[in-house]
Each structure stands twice: as C-alpha cells, then as structure tokens.
Amino acid sequence: MQSWPSPPIPGISGTGRQLRLYDSASGEVRPSDPGPTATMYVCGITPYDATHLGHAATYLTFDLVHRMWLDAGHRVHYVQNITDVDDPLLERAQRDGVFWRKLAEREIGLFRDDMTALRVIPPADYIGAVEAMDEITTAVQQLLDSGAAYRVADADYPDVYFDVTSSGHFGYESRYDEPTMLRLSAERGGDPDRPGKRQPLDPLLWRMDRPGEPSWPSPMGRGRPGWHIECAVIASNRLGPTIDLQGGGSDLIFPHHECSAAHAEVLSGKRPFARLYTHAGMIGLDGEKMSKSKGNLVFVSRLLHQGVDPMAMRLGLLSGHYRQDRAWSDEVLITAQERLDRWRKAAVRSGAQAPAVVEAIRDHLADDLDTPAVLAEVDAWAADDTLDGSAVGDAVDALLGVKLT
Ligand code: ZN
C-alpha cells in the first residue's frame, strides 16, 4: 500500500543519544540499543473512522522514536499495517450502506492526509491485511501443522484458534493476571466464552467463511484472518524474527500485542519477538477517554478543516508525557498555539548561538521521550531575546517534528 510523503528533516550538529524507553514487558525504562538498522513495528488503523487525536498521539510518539534513532545515526526500518478487513470495518460499512473496500479506501486516504499534515515520517512498508493474505494463510497453516493451532469442534464453522500454552510464556508481555486478561479479551474483540476452545484466552487465527462476509481462499478453506496473526506475519516477514520495538496505544497491550508476540515467537522459534514493547497513553476529552463508544472523538481532519495549525496540534499532544493518559481541551490547543507563535518568532531572530539548548533537547528526549521537559527547555530559549534562532529551530524540526520556519 502506498504510504505518504516524508517531511524533510534538517541536519543538526552534535551527536545523537542512545534512546531509553519504557518497556511494558519488563516494567522498566531500558536502552533501545538497536543495530545499524533499527526495526520498529507500530500497529496501524482499522480504517472505518477518521484519525482521532488518540491515534495521532500514538503515531507522534513513535515518530519521535524514529527521529531519535535517525539522529543517533541509525537507519530505521519502520513497518505499519492497516487492518483493512475486520469486524469493526465490516460493521460500520453495513451500518452506513457502503462497500467495505470503499469505506477502507476513503479512510486510509484521510489517514495519509492527516499523517502528512502532522509531519509524521512514513513507514517504509505500509501493508494492508488484504495484500498480505497469502503470507497470513501460510502462517496459519504452519501453526496448525505444528500443533500450536487447532480447529474448534463446530460443524458449521470449524474456525482455527491459537493455543496460548504453545508459546511457553504467554502473559509475559502484558504481565496481567488471568482475570484481567479474561476481562480485556472479552472487551477487546476476543471470545473467551466460545465453546470448544482449549483455553478461554486462545485467540482466533482463521474465521471460516460466513454468509455476507468477505473471504479468501486458503489451505484451511475460505475465510478471513484474526487480527493478531496479521501483525505477527506482516512484522516478522519484513523485519525478521526479533525486532527492536513493537509499539501502539496502551489499549493494545492485551490481547493484541501479547497474542501477536506469541504467534511470531511460535512461528520463528525465537523469543522475545520484540526487545521493547512500548505503549502510548490514551487521550481524553473533558474528563472522559476518547472512544468511539462514547461518541466524543476529536478528528484530526476536522481540526485541520477548521483551520487549526497541525503544528499546534502536534505541540498540544506532545505537551504531556506519551505514557500518561491525558486530556485534550480547547485550552490545550490555545496554549499550544501561543507556544508555537512564540517559538516561531524566536526561530528567526539573530543572536548568540545556544548549542546547550540543542543538547538538552536530545537529553530529555533520550530519557523516555520526556517532551514536557523539552517544551520547558525550548520555552526558556524562546524567552531569551539574546539567543539565536536557527540552530534550535532546526533541532525542534528534526527531533520534535515541529516546523517553525
Ligand atoms: Zn497490530
């Protein structure tokens, strides 16, 4: 799938830092320590609704990771998927009376435009589940052959499930206890109560064809894939069996990242699937989590349409730490716009060079992406009329992705 154009990234002087990030699997902030080519997989959208600020906050988080790795001299191989066939997409298409492929195309187009406006560096591989169908069916068959997968005893729909005990350490990524895993599985698309499964937490790998649903041919019979296997396959077929970072929103910690890691590990025989599992917090509106069920989503495209500067949106989302659940409000946006105006004035002024500011930006970002500390540092620079603008302006562009001039 076509991604979106890359924003230009100015070169800045000095040397990059080793990025440390919080890892959900160990519960610690750890060095990212990639090789010459850093590998990152971030779960993409299910394209049934436009990009809301919660999505944007997640992709901005991993955009900062991307920028920090580039600054430290790594090449970055970044892969993202699009879940372009799944229940929420099909349900929305049915509700709105549109063909599901048309709905997906339209929403993917909007997402590309939003990412372009927000100056997010695109993935090198932007892969839809539908275009990866052959890879996915091969993997499901491999799991069946190895005994890690099985069919439920259901005469009508003998769907294929993954046996979570086959990975040998299921639960290591989220570190949730069983009641929590069961609750989240039920809330987030799993089916712990389905009769005939070996374990309630076993996730779906292949759903046999139902009337009125799209399906693809496979050795298992016509059907469509579960969600977790899609990411396991798209990631490991492009990045190898062990990747530097698996990223996404904190609502993906379980079951999605737990299950996709287990699939990938059983397929490759190598563990862990990712050296770091890093998750971005949720964005709320007026004291409530932003979610489709609450109907309180703030869409990037709508704000753009209203004339909001995407750089102010970016600064507003970066004003809180990426791991914190945090609120969006008109005040957040107004504060961000005022900050952006001050920084833009400062970026064009002449004065004494301030290399220490650039180094401080790097230090704060290297410390688990401490953007509130970066913003305070740049605020102090902007307030000092004796300091020159261009070098700090370039660093803000290259590292924070906020274009000032
Ligand atoms: Zn995923």
Side-chain angles (χ1 to χ4, degrees), residues 41-44 81 83 227-228 230-232 246-247 252 256-257 260:
Y41 184 85
V42 179
C43 293
N81 70 309
T83 303
W227 176 28
H228 319 303
E230 159 193 343
C231 284
Q246 159 83 79
L252 299 188
H256 185 53
H257 286 173
S260 56

Side-chain angles (χ1 to χ4, degrees), residues 235-399:
S236 33
N237 283 355
R238 284 157 190 82
L239 299 172
T242 309
I243 67 175
D244 287 308
L245 174 64
Q246 159 83 79
S250 59
D251 53 349
L252 299 188
I253 293 174
F254 192 90
H256 185 53
H257 286 173
E258 191 78 64
C259 292
S260 56
H263 296 338
E265 288 165 5
V266 172
L267 284 165
S268 72
K270 295 203 167 124
R271 61 157 84 160
F273 165 58
R275 294 187 182 94
L276 290 168
Y277 296 91
T278 297
H279 296 99
M282 299 286 109
I283 301 296
L285 180 70
D286 302 327
E288 293 210 70
K289 181 189 160 185
M290 209 177 276
S291 72
K292 60 179 182 297
S293 56
K294 295 215 169 68
N296 63 348
L297 302 177
V298 177
F299 294 110
V300 172
S301 51
R302 199 164 302 160
L303 290 177
L304 290 172
H305 190 68
Q306 289 166 1
V308 172
D309 188 322
M311 294 300 95
M313 249 185 271
R314 190 163 174 129
L315 263 187
L317 289 168
L318 296 179
S319 65
H321 191 264
Y322 79 93
R323 278 203 275 143
Q324 299 292 318
D325 291 344
R326 52 203 196 274
W328 182 263
S329 64
D330 288 345
E331 291 90 280
V332 170
L333 181 57
I334 290 164
T335 303
Q337 184 64 57
E338 288 169 355
R339 173 175 274 133
L340 183 63
D341 294 342
R342 290 197 306 275
W343 288 13
R344 281 188 167 147
K345 282 199 190 93
V348 293
R349 78 191 167 201
S350 304
Q353 291 299 321
V357 179
V358 176
E359 296 310 311
I361 294 171
R362 282 186 168 120
D363 286 338
H364 292 310
L365 285 173
D367 180 16
D368 197 27
L369 304 176
D370 188 353
T371 55
V374 173
L375 267 52
E377 191 73 39
V378 181
D379 280 346
W381 157 82
D384 186 341
D385 286 335
T386 67
L387 297 179
D388 192 76
S390 64
V392 176
D394 283 349
V396 167
D397 185 348
L399 299 173

Side-chain angles (χ1 to χ4, degrees), residues 14-208:
T15 20
R17 301 287 189 276
Q18 163 91 287
L19 173 63
R20 294 183 307 284
L21 284 172
Y22 182 82
D23 167 44
S24 298
S26 62
E28 292 171 353
V29 175
R30 297 174 49 205
S32 60
D33 202 20
T37 299
T39 51
M40 172 163 72
Y41 184 85
V42 179
C43 293
I45 55 165
T46 300
Y48 63 93
D49 225 342
T51 325
H52 60 70
L53 288 176
H55 295 134
T58 295
Y59 297 117
L60 290 181
T61 296
F62 297 101
D63 191 52
L64 298 188
V65 172
H66 198 156
R67 289 168 183 273
M68 283 298 283
W69 278 343
L70 290 175
D71 186 50
H74 302 285
R75 288 185 300 273
V76 180
H77 191 172
Y78 175 26
V79 178
Q80 189 179 133
N81 70 309
I82 311 131
T83 303
D84 55 359
V85 59
D86 201 7
D87 293 344
L89 170 67
L90 300 175
E91 284 160 14
R92 178 62 62 92
Q94 177 140 37
R95 188 199 79 178
D96 294 353
V98 289
F99 183 44
W100 62 274
R101 278 184 190 272
K102 283 279 163 222
L103 174 62
E105 261 171 40
R106 186 180 77 204
E107 297 304 328
I108 294 166
L110 266 179
F111 180 73
R112 284 193 193 102
D113 292 346
D114 294 343
M115 292 297 105
T116 306
L118 289 169
R119 296 173 65 79
V120 172
I121 303 171
D125 296 301
Y126 189 46
I127 309 291
V130 171
E131 64 185 329
M133 201 57 75
D134 287 348
E135 299 173 42
I136 296 169
T137 59
T138 301
V140 174
Q141 184 61 48
Q142 191 185 326
L143 290 170
L144 266 174
D145 291 344
S146 73
Y150 63 95
R151 287 181 186 272
V152 287
D154 180 320
D156 294 325
Y157 301 116
D159 301 325
V160 180
Y161 280 83
F162 178 78
D163 185 330
V164 293
T165 65
S166 62
S167 83
H169 65 159
F170 191 79
Y172 83 92
E173 182 268 342
S174 63
R175 298 179 296 124
Y176 293 155
D177 60 20
E178 183 138 358
T180 306
M181 289 199 267
L182 283 167
R183 177 174 59 78
L184 292 175
S185 168
E187 283 174 18
R188 296 173 179 168
D191 54 2
D193 297 328
R194 172 131 193 219
K197 298 203 311 187
R198 290 181 187 166
Q199 284 81 221
L201 291 171
D202 290 351
L204 177 75
L205 286 170
W206 190 255
R207 177 178 162 91
M208 302 302 287

